[in-house]
Amino acid sequence: LVNGTRNPYLPIPPQVVRLRLLNASSDRLYNLGLTANKTFNQIGSDGGLFANPVTLTRLMLAPGERAEILIDFTGLAGQNINLLSYASELPNGIYGATNPAAMGPGTITGYSGNPLNGTNFNIIQFQVNLSQTANPVTTIPSSLVIATPVSPTLSVQSRTLTISPVVMGPSGSVNGPFQFNGAPFNMSINNYTVPLNNVETWVIDNQSAIAHPFHIHDVQFYILDINGSIPPLNLQGRKDVVLVRAQQTVKFIARFNDFCDSIPYMFHCHMLPHEDDGLMGQFVVSCPITAINENNASNNEFNLYPNPSQHFINIQLNDPSSKMIKIELFDLLGKIIFAGNFYESKIQIPVSDLSNGTYFIKVYSNDTVLTRKLLINK
């Protein structure tokens, strides 16, 4: 749709034209391509420009996804060029394909009666003029911006969200309702607390029979792999929406480096019926630690030694009946350096890789949270 009208006719000069695309449909995925498989170049995705243009003949755009493309109309004066959705080429399991279910006979009410499903159709027709505009663009640039993805080695936290239907079977696995990690959305629950400046790896595991476009608020991410394989070039830029196909796993990395407060941010499926039915969650970004109350961590409760430390630290609960549940090590900005679950009253943690400075240890024991300052001095 363009300005509410389907299949408009746009006058275009015979030069390179830049188009910004947004899939604002509630469910449908578009498989975009030009007449006669003419190539075009994608130069950006949800989060901005790529380092280099990517030459394509097809661009799948899921609900909520954005893209910027360049089309070279040089030498095509007097011709009509169509931008189509090649829906007949979509694999089953995607809304817009012949069959919305990836496997089995599952379908959606009214789906087979929609003439656009599984059929190629026009979206825009470009009528190429005989004259160029002033100062026409006639070449595709070979480089665009400097883009530096987040390195996987910086990740300090991994989270997995599994998408599954509430009711298994042909109907439920396509129609839903669907949930993240077996629980529906609850406005009173923050599913995750992310410390400011954390670099995290999120894994989206789709165990349903239909594809879901996963969207996260607050941050942009880089896709690390899709089912263990490197993503195609046009999915290697900054994004906030990624299509996770049926029985597929997508892993991405993000840096949560802004907007720390108590206001939650959403993550959800970008198919409107799915998110309305509960395929949604929320997280908060916690601010840096500015004050630590150490009064609840006296030497009578647990020992932390040696402190200052160089190579390792020992943590020992003085009450033999207490068992450690979880230990977290933070820097002064609130970033989690180390986290682990333990079931002993004494453990040893290596700290030789830490830089000199002040850190904080949190020990979760039974129903108590104990905090202590740690100094690294090598």
Side-chain angles (χ1 to χ4, degrees):
L1 297 178
V2 177
N3 296 328
T5 302
R6 181 174 171 265
N7 196 24
Y9 297 88
L10 298 182
I12 295 293
Q15 61 192 42
V16 178
V17 174
R18 180 177 180 176
L19 295 181
R20 294 179 177 177
L21 306 175
L22 161 67
N23 182 351
S25 294
S26 61
D27 294 279
R28 181 176 305 281
L29 185 142
Y30 297 90
N31 189 30
L32 302 176
L34 294 172
T35 303
N37 294 324
K38 175 179 170 55
T39 61
F40 57 93
N41 286 270
Q42 185 178 354
I43 61 172
S45 56
D46 310 329
L49 294 175
F50 297 157
N52 311 100
V54 179
T55 301
L56 302 170
T57 58
R58 296 289 185 272
L59 171 61
M60 287 204 301
L61 213 59
E65 274 193 295
R66 288 89 72 200
E68 293 192 42
I69 65 173
L70 297 180
I71 304 176
D72 188 355
F73 291 98
T74 303
L76 300 177
Q79 298 186 34
N80 293 336
I81 305 295
N82 292 334
L83 179 69
L84 305 95
S85 180
Y86 288 91
S88 66
E89 300 174 3
L90 288 174
N92 289 339
I94 291 176
Y95 198 107
T98 301
N99 187 348
M103 53 278 194
T107 190
I108 298 171
T109 301
Y111 189 89
S112 60
N114 190 318
L116 298 184
N117 294 329
T119 303
N120 301 341
F121 57 91
N122 287 338
I123 295 179
I124 302 174
Q125 184 177 89
F126 303 101
Q127 297 178 337
V128 186
N129 293 338
L130 297 178
S131 59
Q132 293 180 332
T133 59
N135 302 314
V137 177
T138 57
T139 59
I140 304 292
S142 59
S143 62
L144 301 168
V145 297
I146 297 175
T148 306
V150 181
S151 171
T153 61
L154 298 177
S155 178
V156 298
Q157 178 77 49
S158 179
R159 308 183 193 274
T160 298
L161 292 103
T162 300
I163 299 172
S164 59
V166 175
V167 179
M168 299 301 293
S171 179
S173 63
V174 176
N175 291 274
F178 303 96
Q179 298 176 343
F180 286 117
N181 294 340
F185 174 63
N186 186 332
M187 287 187 64
S188 64
I189 295 177
N190 285 325
N191 302 95
Y192 302 116
T193 297
V194 180
L196 182 67
N197 290 319
N198 248 28
V199 177
E200 300 195 354
T201 302
W202 287 38
V203 178
I204 316 301
D205 182 16
N206 182 5
Q207 292 299 311
S208 73
I210 191 171
H212 300 274
F214 176 88
H215 174 54
I216 188 171
H217 293 204
D218 178 49
V219 295
Q220 299 284 326
F221 57 75
Y222 289 94
I223 301 173
L224 296 176
D225 66 66
I226 300 175
N227 273 4
S229 299
I230 297 175
L233 288 175
N234 70 312
L235 293 181
Q236 293 183 21
R238 285 161 54 89
K239 293 187 62 60
D240 55 47
V241 181
V242 58
L243 184 71
V244 187
R245 300 192 194 186
Q247 304 301 305
Q248 187 180 75
T249 297
V250 172
K251 181 189 297 183
F252 66 76
I253 190 168
R255 187 191 302 273
F256 296 78
N257 59 351
D258 211 343
F259 309 118
C260 68
D261 48 42
S262 60
I263 299 174
Y265 297 95
M266 312 302 299
F267 56 85
H268 55 87
C269 175
H270 230 304
M271 293 174 71
L272 189 59
H274 294 179
E275 63 175 301
D276 283 353
D277 273 345
L279 189 52
M280 184 159 50
Q282 58 187 1
F283 64 95
V284 295
V285 179
S286 61
C287 295
I289 299 174
T290 57
I292 295 293
N293 179 9
E294 295 186 80
N295 294 330
N296 67 344
S298 68
N299 288 332
N300 293 329
E301 294 171 311
F302 81 90
N303 291 327
L304 173 66
Y305 62 93
N307 189 10
S309 180
Q310 295 182 341
H311 305 295
F312 61 87
I313 55 173
N314 294 292
I315 302 173
Q316 181 173 0
L317 297 178
N318 291 330
D319 182 354
S321 65
S322 297
K323 296 296 182 182
M324 297 181 187
I325 303 301
K326 185 177 182 180
I327 291 178
E328 294 178 334
L329 173 63
F330 297 87
D331 64 13
L332 284 174
L333 294 177
K335 178 181 177 181
I336 297 178
I337 305 299
F338 171 86
N341 295 320
F342 302 90
Y343 300 95
E344 300 84 22
S345 59
K346 178 181 178 181
I347 68 162
Q348 186 176 92
I349 300 175
V351 293
S352 57
D353 291 339
L354 297 182
S355 303
N356 287 346
T358 302
Y359 299 82
F360 293 96
I361 290 281
K362 275 191 175 182
V363 176
Y364 300 76
S365 175
N366 299 334
D367 295 326
T368 304
V369 181
L370 309 173
T371 305
R372 180 75 59 78
K373 184 183 293 182
L374 167 67
L375 298 178
I376 302 296
N377 187 10
K378 300 177 184 178

